[in-house]
Amino acid sequence: MALVFRVVMQFVGLSLSLLGWVLSIITTYLPYWKNLNLDLNEMENWTMGLWQTCIIQEEVGMQCKDFDSFLALPAELRGSRILMFLSNGLGLLGLLVSGFGLDCLRIGERQPACKKRLLILGGLLFWTAGITTVVPVSWVAHLIVREFWDETIPEIVPRWEFGEALFLGWFAGFSLLLGGCLLHCAACSTPAPPASGHYAVAKMHSPYLENGTADPKV
């Protein structure tokens, strides 16, 4: 029963981590980190991501323009690009490392201590990937809230609001963190490897004869 519970915990942890990693990649490239609705023209909406700015019009559709220079971007967008790239790389590395530490994988099954270390390392990588996803998303969200309630900006000036990518990024980050926690719990619940040695009682080398004795001379 304990073995089944441990395998299920590993499967759920790896599945959550995989989901968080995929959503983190999608969040990186979605142009919906910020939304801007114009009161003067309700038929026109602006969105901004880490790579481009888009304008959505009912008649024309969606048109996007990439940012010309990385150095010309605001600090939060530059930092978010770097952190999201780091998160995507750590998530991929965590999937590779923790995959080899699963109990259901027969590779290295005679080295349970090594598989346990791989699970722990994979969980740490997922934790780091989750943090490096939550931090840039929360950073951008904090600046949006601060600018939205900034009294020094005239009320007639349009203000950015939360985009869908921020909520997706939060979900991705917490999925990575939860997946890493489950993998750690599964690794800590792994029993210690059995002591090496051969017991003569376990295997009988002398078969019993029909008379019930082990001595062929009797």
Side-chain angles (χ1 to χ4, degrees), residues 49-63:
L50 301 181
W51 307 93
Q52 56 189 358
T53 302
C54 300
I55 179 173
I56 305 173
Q57 298 174 328
E58 285 194 2
E59 298 180 354
V60 181
M62 185 174 181
Q63 295 178 330

Side-chain angles (χ1 to χ4, degrees), residues 203-216:
K203 293 184 179 180
M204 301 296 295
H205 297 285
S206 299
Y208 283 93
L209 300 179
E210 294 182 357
N211 58 5
T213 61
D215 190 355

Side-chain angles (χ1 to χ4, degrees), residues 135-180:
V135 167
V137 172
S138 302
W139 186 6
V140 173
H142 169 71
L143 293 178
I144 291 175
V145 173
R146 191 179 67 180
E147 293 175 0
F148 187 87
W149 298 108
D150 191 354
E151 297 179 355
T152 61
I153 301 177
E155 294 184 359
I156 60 173
V157 177
R159 309 189 182 196
W160 293 101
E161 297 184 7
F162 288 175
E164 294 82 354
L166 296 183
F167 299 99
L168 190 64
W170 277 317
F171 184 79
F174 288 121
S175 296
L176 287 167
L177 290 172
L178 182 58

Side-chain angles (χ1 to χ4, degrees), residues 122-143:
L124 288 174
L125 290 172
F126 287 135
W127 278 356
T128 310
I131 292 174
T132 51
T133 298
V134 173
V135 167
V137 172
S138 302
W139 186 6
V140 173
H142 169 71
L143 293 178

Side-chain angles (χ1 to χ4, degrees), residues 97 100-101 108 110-121 193:
V97 171
F100 287 104
R110 296 185 178 180
Q111 297 177 338
C114 181
K115 292 175 76 72
K116 179 178 180 179
R117 286 193 292 267
L118 288 176
L119 277 182
I120 294 176
L121 178 58

